[in-house]
Amino acid sequence: MESKLGIKDDLKAEEVAYRIDHLVFSQNMLNSFKRDKGEFLDKYIRNIFWSDDSKEDKLYEKNMSYGRDFHMMCQRIFLNIIENVDEINYIDNSMKSDLKKIESIKRTYINRYGKENIKFHPETTIELSDRIQVTLDLLVEIYEDGKLSQVNIWDWKMEKRKILKSFAKTKMQTIVYMYACKESIAKDLDYSNLKMYYYQARINNNVMIEYMEKDHEKNRETIYSLINKIKSISKEVE
Protein backbone atom coordinates (compact mmCIF):
# COMPACT_ATOMS: atom_id res chain seq x y z
CA MET A 1 0.00 0.00 0.00
CA GLU A 2 1.24 3.48 -0.87
CA SER A 3 0.31 6.97 0.24
CA LYS A 4 -0.87 9.47 -2.35
CA LEU A 5 2.75 10.64 -2.55
CA GLY A 6 3.94 7.20 -3.56
CA ILE A 7 5.75 6.57 -0.28
CA LYS A 8 5.47 2.91 0.62
CA ASP A 9 4.56 1.52 4.03
CA ASP A 10 8.23 0.98 4.92
CA LEU A 11 8.55 4.74 5.41
CA LYS A 12 6.15 6.05 8.03
CA ALA A 13 4.77 9.55 8.38
CA GLU A 14 6.88 10.25 11.47
CA GLU A 15 10.02 9.18 9.59
CA VAL A 16 9.16 11.49 6.70
CA ALA A 17 8.54 14.35 9.13
CA TYR A 18 11.86 13.72 10.90
CA ARG A 19 13.83 13.65 7.67
CA ILE A 20 12.18 16.80 6.33
CA ASP A 21 12.85 18.60 9.63
CA HIS A 22 16.56 17.84 9.22
CA LEU A 23 16.99 18.68 5.54
CA VAL A 24 19.56 21.24 4.43
CA PHE A 25 18.14 22.98 1.36
CA SER A 26 20.51 23.12 -1.59
CA GLN A 27 19.86 24.29 -5.13
CA ASN A 28 20.02 20.67 -6.31
CA MET A 29 17.39 19.62 -3.80
CA LEU A 30 15.02 22.47 -4.64
CA ASN A 31 15.50 21.87 -8.34
CA SER A 32 14.83 18.16 -7.90
CA PHE A 33 11.58 18.89 -6.07
CA LYS A 34 10.51 21.43 -8.67
CA ARG A 35 11.26 19.02 -11.52
CA ASP A 36 9.82 15.81 -10.12
CA LYS A 37 8.41 15.20 -6.64
CA GLY A 38 8.96 11.46 -6.99
CA GLU A 39 12.64 12.00 -7.78
CA PHE A 40 12.94 14.27 -4.76
CA LEU A 41 11.35 11.69 -2.47
CA ASP A 42 13.64 8.93 -3.69
CA LYS A 43 16.83 10.97 -3.38
CA TYR A 44 16.26 13.05 -0.27
CA ILE A 45 13.65 11.19 1.79
CA ARG A 46 14.10 7.53 0.89
CA ASN A 47 17.83 7.87 0.06
CA ILE A 48 17.51 5.86 -3.16
CA PHE A 49 20.06 6.52 -5.88
CA TRP A 50 20.49 4.56 -9.05
CA SER A 51 22.78 4.17 -12.06
CA ASP A 52 23.28 1.61 -14.78
CA ASP A 53 25.90 0.45 -17.23
CA SER A 54 24.36 2.07 -20.27
CA LYS A 55 26.50 3.95 -22.76
CA GLU A 56 24.88 7.22 -21.65
CA ASP A 57 25.54 6.45 -17.99
CA LYS A 58 29.20 5.64 -18.62
CA LEU A 59 29.65 8.83 -20.66
CA TYR A 60 28.02 10.84 -17.88
CA GLU A 61 30.39 9.34 -15.31
CA LYS A 62 33.39 10.06 -17.55
CA ASN A 63 32.36 13.70 -17.85
CA MET A 64 31.70 13.88 -14.11
CA SER A 65 35.17 12.48 -13.40
CA TYR A 66 36.77 15.11 -15.66
CA GLY A 67 34.69 17.79 -13.97
CA ARG A 68 35.74 16.69 -10.48
CA ASP A 69 39.40 16.74 -11.46
CA PHE A 70 39.02 20.14 -13.14
CA HIS A 71 37.30 21.66 -10.10
CA MET A 72 40.00 20.28 -7.81
CA MET A 73 42.73 21.83 -9.96
CA CYS A 74 40.89 25.17 -10.03
CA GLN A 75 40.72 25.11 -6.25
CA ARG A 76 44.48 24.54 -6.07
CA ILE A 77 45.10 27.45 -8.44
CA PHE A 78 43.20 29.89 -6.21
CA LEU A 79 44.80 28.48 -3.05
CA ASN A 80 48.23 29.14 -4.64
CA ILE A 81 49.09 25.44 -4.44
CA ILE A 82 49.52 25.53 -8.22
CA GLU A 83 51.50 28.55 -9.35
CA ASN A 84 52.06 27.58 -12.98
CA VAL A 85 49.85 25.15 -14.90
CA ASP A 86 52.62 24.58 -17.47
CA GLU A 87 54.69 22.87 -14.79
CA ILE A 88 52.05 20.19 -14.12
CA ASN A 89 53.00 16.95 -15.85
CA TYR A 90 50.17 14.67 -14.71
CA ILE A 91 47.26 16.22 -16.66
CA ASP A 92 46.53 16.06 -20.37
CA ASN A 93 46.89 19.00 -22.75
CA SER A 94 43.14 19.54 -22.99
CA MET A 95 42.76 20.12 -19.25
CA LYS A 96 45.96 22.13 -19.16
CA SER A 97 44.54 24.46 -21.82
CA ASP A 98 41.32 24.90 -19.82
CA LEU A 99 43.20 25.56 -16.59
CA LYS A 100 45.32 28.25 -18.23
CA LYS A 101 42.07 30.16 -18.82
CA ILE A 102 41.34 29.90 -15.10
CA GLU A 103 44.83 31.20 -14.35
CA SER A 104 44.06 34.14 -16.63
CA ILE A 105 40.93 34.98 -14.61
CA LYS A 106 43.00 35.00 -11.43
CA ARG A 107 45.68 37.24 -12.99
CA THR A 108 43.05 39.66 -14.32
CA TYR A 109 41.66 40.20 -10.81
CA ILE A 110 45.09 40.76 -9.31
CA ASN A 111 46.20 43.13 -12.09
CA ARG A 112 42.97 45.11 -11.96
CA TYR A 113 42.51 45.48 -8.21
CA GLY A 114 45.89 44.64 -6.68
CA LYS A 115 46.78 41.47 -4.82
CA GLU A 116 46.21 43.10 -1.45
CA ASN A 117 42.61 44.01 -2.37
CA ILE A 118 41.48 40.55 -3.49
CA LYS A 119 40.46 37.51 -1.47
CA PHE A 120 39.79 34.25 -3.30
CA HIS A 121 37.62 31.62 -1.62
CA PRO A 122 37.49 28.45 -3.76
CA GLU A 123 35.03 25.66 -2.90
CA THR A 124 33.47 27.69 -0.11
CA THR A 125 30.19 26.89 1.64
CA ILE A 126 27.61 29.35 2.95
CA GLU A 127 24.72 28.19 5.13
CA LEU A 128 21.95 30.54 6.21
CA SER A 129 20.22 30.21 9.57
CA ASP A 130 17.19 28.55 7.98
CA ARG A 131 19.38 25.79 6.49
CA ILE A 132 19.67 27.09 2.94
CA GLN A 133 23.14 26.02 1.85
CA VAL A 134 25.32 26.71 -1.17
CA THR A 135 28.80 25.52 -2.09
CA LEU A 136 30.46 27.89 -4.53
CA ASP A 137 33.23 26.96 -6.96
CA LEU A 138 34.76 30.37 -6.28
CA LEU A 139 33.80 33.41 -4.22
CA VAL A 140 35.83 36.55 -4.85
CA GLU A 141 35.86 39.44 -2.38
CA ILE A 142 37.05 42.78 -3.76
CA TYR A 143 38.10 45.48 -1.29
CA GLU A 144 38.52 49.22 -1.65
CA ASP A 145 40.28 51.21 1.08
CA GLY A 146 40.09 48.17 3.32
CA LYS A 147 36.32 47.82 2.95
CA LEU A 148 34.45 45.13 1.03
CA SER A 149 33.12 46.74 -2.16
CA GLN A 150 32.21 43.87 -4.50
CA VAL A 151 31.42 40.16 -4.38
CA ASN A 152 31.72 37.90 -7.42
CA ILE A 153 30.50 34.30 -7.65
CA TRP A 154 32.08 31.97 -10.21
CA ASP A 155 30.79 28.61 -11.34
CA TRP A 156 32.82 26.37 -13.64
CA LYS A 157 30.65 24.62 -16.23
CA MET A 158 32.01 21.66 -18.18
CA GLU A 159 29.36 21.18 -20.88
CA LYS A 160 30.21 22.26 -24.41
CA ARG A 161 26.78 23.55 -25.33
CA LYS A 162 26.89 27.32 -24.95
CA ILE A 163 25.01 28.66 -21.94
CA LEU A 164 22.85 31.65 -22.80
CA LYS A 165 22.33 34.52 -20.38
CA SER A 166 18.54 34.25 -20.67
CA PHE A 167 18.77 30.64 -19.50
CA ALA A 168 21.37 31.27 -16.79
CA LYS A 169 19.24 33.99 -15.16
CA THR A 170 16.41 31.53 -14.53
CA LYS A 171 18.52 28.61 -13.25
CA MET A 172 17.78 27.44 -9.71
CA GLN A 173 21.51 27.63 -9.10
CA THR A 174 21.51 31.36 -9.92
CA ILE A 175 18.45 31.95 -7.76
CA VAL A 176 19.81 30.17 -4.67
CA TYR A 177 23.46 31.21 -4.98
CA MET A 178 22.78 34.92 -5.42
CA TYR A 179 20.10 34.94 -2.73
CA ALA A 180 22.36 33.20 -0.19
CA CYS A 181 25.29 35.52 -0.93
CA LYS A 182 23.18 38.67 -0.65
CA GLU A 183 21.79 37.45 2.68
CA SER A 184 25.29 36.81 4.03
CA ILE A 185 28.64 38.00 2.71
CA ALA A 186 27.15 40.71 0.46
CA LYS A 187 24.47 41.81 2.92
CA ASP A 188 25.78 45.38 3.25
CA LEU A 189 26.56 45.90 -0.42
CA ASP A 190 24.42 47.49 -3.10
CA TYR A 191 22.72 44.86 -5.24
CA SER A 192 24.71 46.01 -8.26
CA ASN A 193 27.94 45.01 -6.51
CA LEU A 194 26.99 41.33 -6.45
CA LYS A 195 27.55 39.42 -9.69
CA MET A 196 27.61 35.79 -10.75
CA TYR A 197 29.62 34.29 -13.61
CA TYR A 198 29.11 30.99 -15.38
CA TYR A 199 32.36 30.14 -17.14
CA GLN A 200 32.73 27.37 -19.73
CA ALA A 201 36.48 26.96 -20.14
CA ARG A 202 36.18 24.38 -22.92
CA ILE A 203 34.50 26.90 -25.23
CA ASN A 204 35.67 30.08 -23.49
CA ASN A 205 32.13 31.28 -22.83
CA ASN A 206 31.57 33.63 -19.89
CA VAL A 207 28.06 34.62 -18.82
CA MET A 208 27.66 37.40 -16.25
CA ILE A 209 24.48 37.73 -14.18
CA GLU A 210 23.80 41.09 -12.54
CA TYR A 211 21.59 41.48 -9.49
CA MET A 212 18.82 43.89 -8.49
CA GLU A 213 16.54 44.24 -5.49
CA LYS A 214 13.54 42.98 -7.47
CA ASP A 215 15.53 39.85 -8.34
CA HIS A 216 16.25 39.26 -4.67
CA GLU A 217 12.62 39.50 -3.64
CA LYS A 218 11.55 37.23 -6.48
CA ASN A 219 14.26 34.73 -5.57
CA ARG A 220 13.19 34.79 -1.93
CA GLU A 221 9.62 34.01 -2.94
CA THR A 222 10.72 31.17 -5.23
CA ILE A 223 12.98 29.56 -2.63
CA TYR A 224 10.59 29.73 0.31
CA SER A 225 7.62 28.65 -1.74
CA LEU A 226 9.48 25.44 -2.61
CA ILE A 227 10.72 24.96 0.96
CA ASN A 228 7.21 25.36 2.35
CA LYS A 229 5.88 22.82 -0.13
CA ILE A 230 8.61 20.38 0.90
CA LYS A 231 7.81 20.90 4.57
CA SER A 232 4.14 20.16 3.90
CA ILE A 233 4.92 16.69 2.51
CA SER A 234 4.71 14.98 5.88
CA LYS A 235 1.10 16.17 6.21
CA GLU A 236 0.26 14.46 2.92
CA VAL A 237 1.49 11.04 4.03
CA GLU A 238 -1.43 8.91 5.13
Side-chain angles (χ1 to χ4, degrees), residues 72 83 91 116 124 131 133 145-146 152 165 172 176 185 189 198 216 229:
M72 179 182 67
E83 296 185 357
I91 59 174
E116 69 281 2
T124 191
R131 304 201 312 274
Q133 186 184 87
D145 297 326
N152 292 171
K165 186 170 185 175
M172 186 62 67
V176 180
I185 187 70
L189 299 182
Y198 287 101
H216 194 60
K229 288 177 181 177

PDB file of all heavy atoms in Angstrom, residues 72 83 91 116 124 131 133 145-146 152 165 172 176 185 189 198 216 229:
ATOM      1  N   MET A  72      38.940  20.420  -8.799  1.00  0.00           N
ATOM      2  CA  MET A  72      40.004  20.278  -7.808  1.00  0.00           C
ATOM      3  C   MET A  72      41.230  21.103  -8.205  1.00  0.00           C
ATOM      4  O   MET A  72      41.831  21.783  -7.372  1.00  0.00           O
ATOM      5  CB  MET A  72      40.391  18.808  -7.653  1.00  0.00           C
ATOM      6  CG  MET A  72      41.513  18.563  -6.643  1.00  0.00           C
ATOM      7  SD  MET A  72      41.986  16.823  -6.541  1.00  0.00           S
ATOM      8  CE  MET A  72      42.706  16.583  -8.187  1.00  0.00           C
ATOM      9  N   GLU A  83      51.085  27.208  -8.955  1.00  0.00           N
ATOM     10  CA  GLU A  83      51.499  28.552  -9.351  1.00  0.00           C
ATOM     11  C   GLU A  83      51.688  28.689 -10.855  1.00  0.00           C
ATOM     12  O   GLU A  83      51.674  29.794 -11.388  1.00  0.00           O
ATOM     13  CB  GLU A  83      52.781  28.931  -8.619  1.00  0.00           C
ATOM     14  CG  GLU A  83      52.584  29.024  -7.098  1.00  0.00           C
ATOM     15  CD  GLU A  83      53.825  29.513  -6.379  1.00  0.00           C
ATOM     16  OE1 GLU A  83      54.854  29.726  -7.059  1.00  0.00           O
ATOM     17  OE2 GLU A  83      53.765  29.678  -5.145  1.00  0.00           O
ATOM     18  N   ILE A  91      48.562  15.974 -16.029  1.00  0.00           N
ATOM     19  CA  ILE A  91      47.261  16.223 -16.657  1.00  0.00           C
ATOM     20  C   ILE A  91      47.460  16.318 -18.165  1.00  0.00           C
ATOM     21  O   ILE A  91      48.550  16.644 -18.638  1.00  0.00           O
ATOM     22  CB  ILE A  91      46.592  17.508 -16.128  1.00  0.00           C
ATOM     23  CG1 ILE A  91      47.482  18.734 -16.369  1.00  0.00           C
ATOM     24  CG2 ILE A  91      46.249  17.379 -14.658  1.00  0.00           C
ATOM     25  CD1 ILE A  91      46.819  20.037 -15.992  1.00  0.00           C
ATOM     26  N   GLU A 116      46.604  42.826  -2.829  1.00  0.00           N
ATOM     27  CA  GLU A 116      46.209  43.103  -1.445  1.00  0.00           C
ATOM     28  C   GLU A 116      44.713  43.403  -1.306  1.00  0.00           C
ATOM     29  O   GLU A 116      44.174  43.405  -0.192  1.00  0.00           O
ATOM     30  CB  GLU A 116      47.028  44.278  -0.891  1.00  0.00           C
ATOM     31  CG  GLU A 116      46.721  45.637  -1.510  1.00  0.00           C
ATOM     32  CD  GLU A 116      47.372  45.850  -2.873  1.00  0.00           C
ATOM     33  OE1 GLU A 116      48.038  44.928  -3.377  1.00  0.00           O
ATOM     34  OE2 GLU A 116      47.211  46.951  -3.428  1.00  0.00           O
ATOM     35  N   THR A 124      33.903  27.180  -1.410  1.00  0.00           N
ATOM     36  CA  THR A 124      33.470  27.693  -0.110  1.00  0.00           C
ATOM     37  C   THR A 124      31.976  27.475   0.086  1.00  0.00           C
ATOM     38  O   THR A 124      31.199  27.552  -0.866  1.00  0.00           O
ATOM     39  CB  THR A 124      33.824  29.190   0.029  1.00  0.00           C
ATOM     40  OG1 THR A 124      33.627  29.594   1.382  1.00  0.00           O
ATOM     41  CG2 THR A 124      32.966  30.060  -0.877  1.00  0.00           C
ATOM     42  N   ARG A 131      18.852  27.013   7.108  1.00  0.00           N
ATOM     43  CA  ARG A 131      19.379  25.786   6.489  1.00  0.00           C
ATOM     44  C   ARG A 131      19.332  25.817   4.962  1.00  0.00           C
ATOM     45  O   ARG A 131      19.251  24.781   4.328  1.00  0.00           O
ATOM     46  CB  ARG A 131      18.666  24.541   7.027  1.00  0.00           C
ATOM     47  CG  ARG A 131      18.709  24.387   8.539  1.00  0.00           C
ATOM     48  CD  ARG A 131      18.463  22.962   9.000  1.00  0.00           C
ATOM     49  NE  ARG A 131      17.322  22.345   8.380  1.00  0.00           N
ATOM     50  CZ  ARG A 131      16.072  22.468   8.821  1.00  0.00           C
ATOM     51  NH1 ARG A 131      15.805  23.223   9.872  1.00  0.00           N
ATOM     52  NH2 ARG A 131      15.079  21.848   8.211  1.00  0.00           N
ATOM     53  N   GLN A 133      21.699  26.186   1.965  1.00  0.00           N
ATOM     54  CA  GLN A 133      23.142  26.023   1.854  1.00  0.00           C
ATOM     55  C   GLN A 133      23.596  26.035   0.399  1.00  0.00           C
ATOM     56  O   GLN A 133      22.949  25.468  -0.472  1.00  0.00           O
ATOM     57  CB  GLN A 133      23.577  24.705   2.502  1.00  0.00           C
ATOM     58  CG  GLN A 133      25.080  24.509   2.556  1.00  0.00           C
ATOM     59  CD  GLN A 133      25.447  23.154   3.118  1.00  0.00           C
ATOM     60  OE1 GLN A 133      25.524  22.166   2.410  1.00  0.00           O
ATOM     61  NE2 GLN A 133      25.658  23.115   4.439  1.00  0.00           N
ATOM     62  N   ASP A 145      39.934  50.507  -0.161  1.00  0.00           N
ATOM     63  CA  ASP A 145      40.285  51.214   1.080  1.00  0.00           C
ATOM     64  C   ASP A 145      39.982  50.369   2.308  1.00  0.00           C
ATOM     65  O   ASP A 145      39.482  50.862   3.332  1.00  0.00           O
ATOM     66  CB  ASP A 145      39.529  52.546   1.164  1.00  0.00           C
ATOM     67  CG  ASP A 145      39.910  53.500   0.041  1.00  0.00           C
ATOM     68  OD1 ASP A 145      41.081  53.479  -0.374  1.00  0.00           O
ATOM     69  OD2 ASP A 145      39.021  54.244  -0.431  1.00  0.00           O
ATOM     70  N   GLY A 146      40.259  49.075   2.185  1.00  0.00           N
ATOM     71  CA  GLY A 146      40.089  48.172   3.317  1.00  0.00           C
ATOM     72  C   GLY A 146      38.664  47.725   3.576  1.00  0.00           C
ATOM     73  O   GLY A 146      38.408  46.965   4.518  1.00  0.00           O
ATOM     74  N   ASN A 152      31.942  38.642  -6.174  1.00  0.00           N
ATOM     75  CA  ASN A 152      31.715  37.904  -7.419  1.00  0.00           C
ATOM     76  C   ASN A 152      31.620  36.413  -7.119  1.00  0.00           C
ATOM     77  O   ASN A 152      32.429  35.881  -6.355  1.00  0.00           O
ATOM     78  CB  ASN A 152      32.852  38.125  -8.411  1.00  0.00           C
ATOM     79  CG  ASN A 152      32.915  39.544  -8.957  1.00  0.00           C
ATOM     80  OD1 ASN A 152      33.877  39.888  -9.631  1.00  0.00           O
ATOM     81  ND2 ASN A 152      31.928  40.380  -8.675  1.00  0.00           N
ATOM     82  N   LYS A 165      22.635  33.713 -21.556  1.00  0.00           N
ATOM     83  CA  LYS A 165      22.332  34.518 -20.375  1.00  0.00           C
ATOM     84  C   LYS A 165      20.863  34.406 -19.981  1.00  0.00           C
ATOM     85  O   LYS A 165      20.540  34.328 -18.794  1.00  0.00           O
ATOM     86  CB  LYS A 165      22.692  35.982 -20.643  1.00  0.00           C
ATOM     87  CG  LYS A 165      22.556  36.877 -19.416  1.00  0.00           C
ATOM     88  CD  LYS A 165      23.153  38.242 -19.665  1.00  0.00           C
ATOM     89  CE  LYS A 165      23.116  39.099 -18.406  1.00  0.00           C
ATOM     90  NZ  LYS A 165      23.788  40.394 -18.594  1.00  0.00           N
ATOM     91  N   MET A 172      17.914  27.522 -11.163  1.00  0.00           N
ATOM     92  CA  MET A 172      17.777  27.442  -9.714  1.00  0.00           C
ATOM     93  C   MET A 172      19.099  27.745  -9.032  1.00  0.00           C
ATOM     94  O   MET A 172      19.137  28.343  -7.950  1.00  0.00           O
ATOM     95  CB  MET A 172      17.278  26.052  -9.315  1.00  0.00           C
ATOM     96  CG  MET A 172      16.969  25.898  -7.833  1.00  0.00           C
ATOM     97  SD  MET A 172      15.633  27.000  -7.269  1.00  0.00           S
ATOM     98  CE  MET A 172      14.238  26.284  -8.175  1.00  0.00           C
ATOM     99  N   VAL A 176      19.405  30.514  -6.042  1.00  0.00           N
ATOM    100  CA  VAL A 176      19.809  30.174  -4.673  1.00  0.00           C
ATOM    101  C   VAL A 176      21.171  30.762  -4.333  1.00  0.00           C
ATOM    102  O   VAL A 176      21.364  31.295  -3.232  1.00  0.00           O
ATOM    103  CB  VAL A 176      19.806  28.644  -4.480  1.00  0.00           C
ATOM    104  CG1 VAL A 176      20.230  28.292  -3.054  1.00  0.00           C
ATOM    105  CG2 VAL A 176      18.416  28.072  -4.758  1.00  0.00           C
ATOM    106  N   ILE A 185      27.400  37.272   2.939  1.00  0.00           N
ATOM    107  CA  ILE A 185      28.644  38.004   2.714  1.00  0.00           C
ATOM    108  C   ILE A 185      28.422  39.357   2.050  1.00  0.00           C
ATOM    109  O   ILE A 185      29.131  40.322   2.319  1.00  0.00           O
ATOM    110  CB  ILE A 185      29.628  37.141   1.878  1.00  0.00           C
ATOM    111  CG1 ILE A 185      30.987  37.801   1.786  1.00  0.00           C
ATOM    112  CG2 ILE A 185      29.086  36.849   0.494  1.00  0.00           C
ATOM    113  CD1 ILE A 185      31.754  37.813   3.079  1.00  0.00           C
ATOM    114  N   LEU A 189      26.207  45.323   0.869  1.00  0.00           N
ATOM    115  CA  LEU A 189      26.561  45.899  -0.424  1.00  0.00           C
ATOM    116  C   LEU A 189      25.319  46.268  -1.225  1.00  0.00           C
ATOM    117  O   LEU A 189      24.241  45.701  -1.021  1.00  0.00           O
ATOM    118  CB  LEU A 189      27.386  44.896  -1.243  1.00  0.00           C
ATOM    119  CG  LEU A 189      28.730  44.445  -0.668  1.00  0.00           C
ATOM    120  CD1 LEU A 189      29.409  43.490  -1.656  1.00  0.00           C
ATOM    121  CD2 LEU A 189      29.629  45.632  -0.357  1.00  0.00           C
ATOM    122  N   TYR A 198      29.012  32.379 -14.943  1.00  0.00           N
ATOM    123  CA  TYR A 198      29.112  30.990 -15.381  1.00  0.00           C
ATOM    124  C   TYR A 198      30.199  30.948 -16.456  1.00  0.00           C
ATOM    125  O   TYR A 198      30.075  31.610 -17.493  1.00  0.00           O
ATOM    126  CB  TYR A 198      27.793  30.502 -15.981  1.00  0.00           C
ATOM    127  CG  TYR A 198      26.702  30.261 -14.959  1.00  0.00           C
ATOM    128  CD1 TYR A 198      25.689  31.199 -14.768  1.00  0.00           C
ATOM    129  CD2 TYR A 198      26.688  29.099 -14.198  1.00  0.00           C
ATOM    130  CE1 TYR A 198      24.678  30.979 -13.837  1.00  0.00           C
ATOM    131  CE2 TYR A 198      25.676  28.872 -13.265  1.00  0.00           C
ATOM    132  CZ  TYR A 198      24.685  29.813 -13.087  1.00  0.00           C
ATOM    133  OH  TYR A 198      23.690  29.594 -12.171  1.00  0.00           O
ATOM    134  N   HIS A 216      16.097  39.856  -6.000  1.00  0.00           N
ATOM    135  CA  HIS A 216      16.253  39.263  -4.673  1.00  0.00           C
ATOM    136  C   HIS A 216      14.899  38.892  -4.067  1.00  0.00           C
ATOM    137  O   HIS A 216      14.743  37.800  -3.503  1.00  0.00           O
ATOM    138  CB  HIS A 216      16.993  40.243  -3.758  1.00  0.00           C
ATOM    139  CG  HIS A 216      17.499  39.622  -2.498  1.00  0.00           C
ATOM    140  ND1 HIS A 216      18.392  38.577  -2.492  1.00  0.00           N
ATOM    141  CD2 HIS A 216      17.214  39.884  -1.190  1.00  0.00           C
ATOM    142  CE1 HIS A 216      18.662  38.232  -1.237  1.00  0.00           C
ATOM    143  NE2 HIS A 216      17.960  39.010  -0.437  1.00  0.00           N
ATOM    144  N   LYS A 229       6.534  23.979   0.477  1.00  0.00           N
ATOM    145  CA  LYS A 229       5.883  22.819  -0.135  1.00  0.00           C
ATOM    146  C   LYS A 229       6.562  21.522   0.312  1.00  0.00           C
ATOM    147  O   LYS A 229       5.890  20.509   0.553  1.00  0.00           O
ATOM    148  CB  LYS A 229       5.918  22.942  -1.658  1.00  0.00           C
ATOM    149  CG  LYS A 229       4.971  24.004  -2.210  1.00  0.00           C
ATOM    150  CD  LYS A 229       5.107  24.142  -3.730  1.00  0.00           C
ATOM    151  CE  LYS A 229       4.175  25.227  -4.255  1.00  0.00           C
ATOM    152  NZ  LYS A 229       4.335  25.433  -5.718  1.00  0.00           N
TER     153      LYS A 229
END
